PDB file of all heavy atoms in Angstrom:
ATOM      1  N   TRP A 116       5.500   3.653  14.999  1.00  0.00           N
ATOM      2  CA  TRP A 116       4.076   3.352  14.888  1.00  0.00           C
ATOM      3  C   TRP A 116       3.868   2.480  13.668  1.00  0.00           C
ATOM      4  O   TRP A 116       4.472   2.701  12.619  1.00  0.00           O
ATOM      5  CB  TRP A 116       3.276   4.645  14.722  1.00  0.00           C
ATOM      6  CG  TRP A 116       2.978   5.322  16.021  1.00  0.00           C
ATOM      7  CD1 TRP A 116       3.820   6.137  16.727  1.00  0.00           C
ATOM      8  CD2 TRP A 116       1.774   5.220  16.763  1.00  0.00           C
ATOM      9  NE1 TRP A 116       3.197   6.561  17.873  1.00  0.00           N
ATOM     10  CE2 TRP A 116       1.930   6.014  17.914  1.00  0.00           C
ATOM     11  CE3 TRP A 116       0.579   4.557  16.577  1.00  0.00           C
ATOM     12  CZ2 TRP A 116       0.940   6.156  18.870  1.00  0.00           C
ATOM     13  CZ3 TRP A 116      -0.413   4.698  17.519  1.00  0.00           C
ATOM     14  CH2 TRP A 116      -0.222   5.488  18.653  1.00  0.00           C
ATOM     15  N   ASN A 117       2.993   1.494  13.793  1.00  0.00           N
ATOM     16  CA  ASN A 117       2.663   0.624  12.665  1.00  0.00           C
ATOM     17  C   ASN A 117       1.177   0.773  12.373  1.00  0.00           C
ATOM     18  O   ASN A 117       0.345   0.576  13.258  1.00  0.00           O
ATOM     19  CB  ASN A 117       3.002  -0.833  12.990  1.00  0.00           C
ATOM     20  CG  ASN A 117       2.742  -1.749  11.821  1.00  0.00           C
ATOM     21  OD1 ASN A 117       2.645  -1.307  10.696  1.00  0.00           O
ATOM     22  ND2 ASN A 117       2.626  -3.027  12.098  1.00  0.00           N
ATOM     23  N   MET A 118       0.861   1.139  11.126  1.00  0.00           N
ATOM     24  CA  MET A 118      -0.530   1.281  10.710  1.00  0.00           C
ATOM     25  C   MET A 118      -0.769   0.389   9.501  1.00  0.00           C
ATOM     26  O   MET A 118       0.057   0.353   8.586  1.00  0.00           O
ATOM     27  CB  MET A 118      -0.828   2.731  10.361  1.00  0.00           C
ATOM     28  CG  MET A 118      -0.745   3.657  11.557  1.00  0.00           C
ATOM     29  SD  MET A 118      -0.910   5.375  11.119  1.00  0.00           S
ATOM     30  CE  MET A 118       0.815   5.815  10.965  1.00  0.00           C
ATOM     31  N   THR A 119      -1.860  -0.331   9.525  1.00  0.00           N
ATOM     32  CA  THR A 119      -2.224  -1.209   8.419  1.00  0.00           C
ATOM     33  C   THR A 119      -3.604  -0.810   7.923  1.00  0.00           C
ATOM     34  O   THR A 119      -4.533  -0.666   8.716  1.00  0.00           O
ATOM     35  CB  THR A 119      -2.236  -2.677   8.870  1.00  0.00           C
ATOM     36  OG1 THR A 119      -0.940  -3.005   9.380  1.00  0.00           O
ATOM     37  CG2 THR A 119      -2.562  -3.601   7.720  1.00  0.00           C
ATOM     38  N   PHE A 120      -3.704  -0.617   6.596  1.00  0.00           N
ATOM     39  CA  PHE A 120      -4.966  -0.240   5.974  1.00  0.00           C
ATOM     40  C   PHE A 120      -5.324  -1.277   4.924  1.00  0.00           C
ATOM     41  O   PHE A 120      -4.465  -1.708   4.159  1.00  0.00           O
ATOM     42  CB  PHE A 120      -4.852   1.128   5.281  1.00  0.00           C
ATOM     43  CG  PHE A 120      -4.450   2.237   6.197  1.00  0.00           C
ATOM     44  CD1 PHE A 120      -3.111   2.577   6.340  1.00  0.00           C
ATOM     45  CD2 PHE A 120      -5.392   2.939   6.917  1.00  0.00           C
ATOM     46  CE1 PHE A 120      -2.724   3.604   7.186  1.00  0.00           C
ATOM     47  CE2 PHE A 120      -5.013   3.968   7.768  1.00  0.00           C
ATOM     48  CZ  PHE A 120      -3.676   4.300   7.896  1.00  0.00           C
ATOM     49  N   THR A 121      -6.584  -1.662   4.896  1.00  0.00           N
ATOM     50  CA  THR A 121      -7.094  -2.543   3.855  1.00  0.00           C
ATOM     51  C   THR A 121      -8.365  -1.912   3.302  1.00  0.00           C
ATOM     52  O   THR A 121      -9.265  -1.568   4.072  1.00  0.00           O
ATOM     53  CB  THR A 121      -7.407  -3.947   4.403  1.00  0.00           C
ATOM     54  OG1 THR A 121      -6.201  -4.493   4.949  1.00  0.00           O
ATOM     55  CG2 THR A 121      -7.924  -4.861   3.314  1.00  0.00           C
ATOM     56  N   VAL A 122      -8.421  -1.754   1.989  1.00  0.00           N
ATOM     57  CA  VAL A 122      -9.572  -1.162   1.329  1.00  0.00           C
ATOM     58  C   VAL A 122     -10.026  -2.115   0.234  1.00  0.00           C
ATOM     59  O   VAL A 122      -9.203  -2.605  -0.544  1.00  0.00           O
ATOM     60  CB  VAL A 122      -9.227   0.213   0.706  1.00  0.00           C
ATOM     61  CG1 VAL A 122     -10.433   0.817   0.018  1.00  0.00           C
ATOM     62  CG2 VAL A 122      -8.683   1.152   1.764  1.00  0.00           C
ATOM     63  N   THR A 123     -11.311  -2.385   0.200  1.00  0.00           N
ATOM     64  CA  THR A 123     -11.861  -3.227  -0.860  1.00  0.00           C
ATOM     65  C   THR A 123     -13.028  -2.509  -1.519  1.00  0.00           C
ATOM     66  O   THR A 123     -13.704  -1.689  -0.904  1.00  0.00           O
ATOM     67  CB  THR A 123     -12.367  -4.575  -0.316  1.00  0.00           C
ATOM     68  OG1 THR A 123     -13.368  -4.332   0.659  1.00  0.00           O
ATOM     69  CG2 THR A 123     -11.251  -5.387   0.279  1.00  0.00           C
ATOM     70  N   LYS A 124     -13.223  -2.812  -2.780  1.00  0.00           N
ATOM     71  CA  LYS A 124     -14.362  -2.291  -3.519  1.00  0.00           C
ATOM     72  C   LYS A 124     -15.204  -3.490  -3.914  1.00  0.00           C
ATOM     73  O   LYS A 124     -14.800  -4.285  -4.762  1.00  0.00           O
ATOM     74  CB  LYS A 124     -13.906  -1.529  -4.761  1.00  0.00           C
ATOM     75  CG  LYS A 124     -15.033  -0.913  -5.551  1.00  0.00           C
ATOM     76  CD  LYS A 124     -14.495  -0.146  -6.734  1.00  0.00           C
ATOM     77  CE  LYS A 124     -14.583  -1.009  -7.970  1.00  0.00           C
ATOM     78  NZ  LYS A 124     -14.166  -0.351  -9.189  1.00  0.00           N
ATOM     79  N   CYS A 125     -16.328  -3.654  -3.271  1.00  0.00           N
ATOM     80  CA  CYS A 125     -17.183  -4.800  -3.528  1.00  0.00           C
ATOM     81  C   CYS A 125     -18.203  -4.438  -4.600  1.00  0.00           C
ATOM     82  O   CYS A 125     -18.760  -3.338  -4.587  1.00  0.00           O
ATOM     83  CB  CYS A 125     -17.927  -5.220  -2.263  1.00  0.00           C
ATOM     84  SG  CYS A 125     -16.826  -5.717  -0.942  1.00  0.00           S
ATOM     85  N   PRO A 126     -18.482  -5.351  -5.522  1.00  0.00           N
ATOM     86  CA  PRO A 126     -19.518  -5.085  -6.505  1.00  0.00           C
ATOM     87  C   PRO A 126     -20.874  -4.961  -5.808  1.00  0.00           C
ATOM     88  O   PRO A 126     -21.155  -5.671  -4.848  1.00  0.00           O
ATOM     89  CB  PRO A 126     -19.485  -6.292  -7.436  1.00  0.00           C
ATOM     90  CG  PRO A 126     -18.584  -7.279  -6.811  1.00  0.00           C
ATOM     91  CD  PRO A 126     -17.847  -6.629  -5.692  1.00  0.00           C
ATOM     92  N   VAL A 127     -21.679  -4.035  -6.269  1.00  0.00           N
ATOM     93  CA  VAL A 127     -22.978  -3.779  -5.668  1.00  0.00           C
ATOM     94  C   VAL A 127     -24.058  -4.412  -6.535  1.00  0.00           C
ATOM     95  O   VAL A 127     -24.094  -4.213  -7.745  1.00  0.00           O
ATOM     96  CB  VAL A 127     -23.228  -2.259  -5.551  1.00  0.00           C
ATOM     97  CG1 VAL A 127     -24.610  -1.977  -4.985  1.00  0.00           C
ATOM     98  CG2 VAL A 127     -22.155  -1.607  -4.714  1.00  0.00           C
ATOM     99  N   GLU A 128     -24.917  -5.186  -5.898  1.00  0.00           N
ATOM    100  CA  GLU A 128     -26.044  -5.783  -6.605  1.00  0.00           C
ATOM    101  C   GLU A 128     -27.197  -4.778  -6.577  1.00  0.00           C
ATOM    102  O   GLU A 128     -27.544  -4.243  -5.525  1.00  0.00           O
ATOM    103  CB  GLU A 128     -26.453  -7.085  -5.937  1.00  0.00           C
ATOM    104  CG  GLU A 128     -25.327  -8.088  -5.908  1.00  0.00           C
ATOM    105  CD  GLU A 128     -25.704  -9.381  -6.582  1.00  0.00           C
ATOM    106  OE1 GLU A 128     -26.875  -9.533  -6.949  1.00  0.00           O
ATOM    107  OE2 GLU A 128     -24.823 -10.221  -6.718  1.00  0.00           O
ATOM    108  N   VAL A 129     -27.772  -4.519  -7.740  1.00  0.00           N
ATOM    109  CA  VAL A 129     -28.840  -3.545  -7.867  1.00  0.00           C
ATOM    110  C   VAL A 129     -30.076  -4.258  -8.386  1.00  0.00           C
ATOM    111  O   VAL A 129     -30.012  -5.005  -9.362  1.00  0.00           O
ATOM    112  CB  VAL A 129     -28.424  -2.411  -8.845  1.00  0.00           C
ATOM    113  CG1 VAL A 129     -29.543  -1.404  -9.007  1.00  0.00           C
ATOM    114  CG2 VAL A 129     -27.153  -1.741  -8.356  1.00  0.00           C
ATOM    115  N   SER A 130     -31.204  -4.014  -7.719  1.00  0.00           N
ATOM    116  CA  SER A 130     -32.451  -4.627  -8.180  1.00  0.00           C
ATOM    117  C   SER A 130     -32.855  -4.019  -9.514  1.00  0.00           C
ATOM    118  O   SER A 130     -32.415  -2.930  -9.891  1.00  0.00           O
ATOM    119  CB  SER A 130     -33.560  -4.418  -7.145  1.00  0.00           C
ATOM    120  OG  SER A 130     -33.912  -3.050  -7.101  1.00  0.00           O
ATOM    121  N   ARG A 131     -33.714  -4.718 -10.248  1.00  0.00           N
ATOM    122  CA  ARG A 131     -34.170  -4.249 -11.559  1.00  0.00           C
ATOM    123  C   ARG A 131     -34.870  -2.895 -11.434  1.00  0.00           C
ATOM    124  O   ARG A 131     -34.654  -2.001 -12.239  1.00  0.00           O
ATOM    125  CB  ARG A 131     -35.091  -5.289 -12.196  1.00  0.00           C
ATOM    126  CG  ARG A 131     -35.481  -4.981 -13.615  1.00  0.00           C
ATOM    127  CD  ARG A 131     -36.253  -6.133 -14.247  1.00  0.00           C
ATOM    128  NE  ARG A 131     -35.525  -7.388 -14.203  1.00  0.00           N
ATOM    129  CZ  ARG A 131     -34.613  -7.762 -15.092  1.00  0.00           C
ATOM    130  NH1 ARG A 131     -34.314  -6.978 -16.098  1.00  0.00           N
ATOM    131  NH2 ARG A 131     -34.015  -8.928 -14.984  1.00  0.00           N
TER     132      ARG A 131
END
Side-chain angles (χ1 to χ4, degrees):
W116 277 82
N117 183 19
M118 294 173 266
T119 302
F120 302 93
T121 301
V122 180
T123 59
K124 182 178 98 177
C125 299
V127 177
E128 301 237 353
V129 179
S130 69
R131 187 173 304 276

